[in-house]
Amino acid sequence: MIRYGASISLDGFTAGPDQSKENPLGVGGMQLHDWLRRLAVWRENHGEEGGVETASTEVLKAAGANLGAYVMGRNMFGGGPGPWGDDPWNGWWGEDPPFHLPVFVVTHHARPPLECEGGTTFTFVTDGPEAAVALAREAAGDRDVLISGGASVGRQCLAAGLVDELQLDLVPVLLGVGERLFDGLPTSIELEQTAVVEGAGVVHLTYRVSSTR
Amino acid sequence: MIRYGASISLDGFTAGPDQSKENPLGVGGMQLHDWLRRLAVWRENHGEEGGVETASTEVLKAAGANLGAYVMGRNMFGGGPGPWGDDPWNGWWGEDPPFHLPVFVVTHHARPPLECEGGTTFTFVTDGPEAAVALAREAAGDRDVLISGGASVGRQCLAAGLVDELQLDLVPVLLGVGERLFDGLPTSIELEQTAVVEGAGVVHLTYRVSSTR
């Protein structure tokens, strides 16, 4: 199964404007992860102590179960737009990124794969989201592929009919500007609401996706 | 308390494009009310038989409780844009509209108040949403005012800091085009998630609204 997962503002943005090293999720975008950074399970996975257990804990654990590979966009991997240069950006996450699986990064700029500690490998795919999903599906075998963030990649995969399930963490904030996940998508996309979990400052929404095309 | 309530698509629209007599909620917009039209409590209030009871029933009853007046936009009242003419449109709802309270309609075109059966009176307000809310507040006394539909009126009232509570019925459908409730709003608007109820094909979301302006 191919899943798309992202935190999304009530006005439909998965990141604010002007993503940068200082603002990986764009200006104001970190508010989208307030609910996440409070969780003990997230903090442990990111090498931080403390945190709480909420209804979101189980949701996060379930989302991480049965995964075989990730797909993400260039903005989520980071390092700004354009060629990688001589001292390329190696992601936001340090030497041991929290994925522990193959990750396929959709980018316009080729570079060799990047192998990190803990089983995370980043493979850079230059022929589009569909190609990245195909590679991830192969790498994942019987397990799921999670398209993890990036409004642009998510939108392209939805439009191409590649997404079986949508996992949105709806956050009560208005970002006003940024990139919208749902913009210019074919209305032939059909959604079935399959799960709703109320967290603290977040609602976890799951939809089965099909297309009548 | 001033509340804003509307059914909203997952991509943020409270109506589809090209609202008309045939498509009061615009093309595709009736999907926003699928969850509502199934409910026995709604059908009874609209003179129709049958229907079911779901988790949405209580939400609908609670939303209708303690109300003193409504505010709505011209599109929600209907009859197309422009002057009212000699044989003016009297609303979608027939002789006994389901409001049974004073309703203040925001419009650019003056006309005398319209008194209907069952206690519904439509007053047409030509000096903007703030004026309509002020009149509704006065008419409602100790009771709440519900700004009931109309992305444009809702957006203007939110921007003006007039809304205390947001009641959104989030429907798993993508309309693609139409008018977005959340568009160009000041990011100084703060939302606190206060209730989440899972219905059948809908999620009922309640937010307390404040502004840091």
Side-chain angles (χ1 to χ4, degrees), chain A residues 41-60:
Chain A
V41 61
W42 186 92
R43 300 183 72 84
E44 193 189 327
N45 201 24
H46 286 72
E48 297 180 32
E49 288 183 7
V52 296
E53 225 175 284
T54 73
S56 300
T57 303
E58 280 312 307
V59 173
L60 202 65

Side-chain angles (χ1 to χ4, degrees), chain A residues 11 175 180 182 187 193 199 202, chain B residues 175 180 182 187 193 199 202:
Chain A
D11 54 352
L175 291 181
R180 278 200 163 105
F182 300 114
T187 52
Q193 175 186 311
V202 64
Chain B
L175 292 181
R180 279 201 164 104
F182 299 114
T187 52
Q193 176 185 311
V202 64

Side-chain angles (χ1 to χ4, degrees), chain A residues 60-147:
Chain A
L60 202 65
K61 284 185 182 171
N66 200 41
L67 277 188
Y70 288 86
V71 170
M72 65 175 62
R74 166 71 187 266
N75 279 340
M76 170 127 175
F77 182 77
W84 298 102
D86 293 334
D87 181 20
W89 171 261
N90 285 338
W92 311 101
W93 305 278
E95 292 179 359
D96 181 7
F99 305 103
H100 315 299
L101 286 172
V103 180
F104 296 86
V105 181
V106 181
T107 167
H108 293 293
H109 303 281
R111 64 183 273 188
L114 171 67
E115 202 163 320
C116 303
E117 291 175 19
T120 301
T121 55
F122 294 101
T123 302
F124 300 88
V125 182
T126 53
D127 38 3
E130 296 204 38
V133 168
L135 289 169
R137 196 195 293 262
E138 205 181 303
D142 289 342
R143 293 175 168 260
D144 292 350
V145 171
L146 183 60
I147 305 167

Side-chain angles (χ1 to χ4, degrees), chain B residues 161-183:
Chain B
L162 295 173
V163 178
D164 302 306
E165 193 174 273
L166 212 47
Q167 301 176 320
L168 301 177
D169 309 306
L170 184 66
V171 177
V173 67
L174 301 182
L175 292 181
V177 278
E179 219 175 340
R180 279 201 164 104
L181 175 60
F182 299 114
D183 211 8

Side-chain angles (χ1 to χ4, degrees), chain B residues 6 14 36 50 55 58 70 89 112 118 121-122 134 151 153 160 169-170 172 183-184 186 190 202 206 211:
Chain B
T14 60
L36 189 61
E58 280 311 308
Y70 289 86
W89 172 261
T121 55
F122 294 102
V153 163
D169 309 306
L170 184 66
D183 211 8
E190 296 202 343
V202 64
T206 308
S211 180

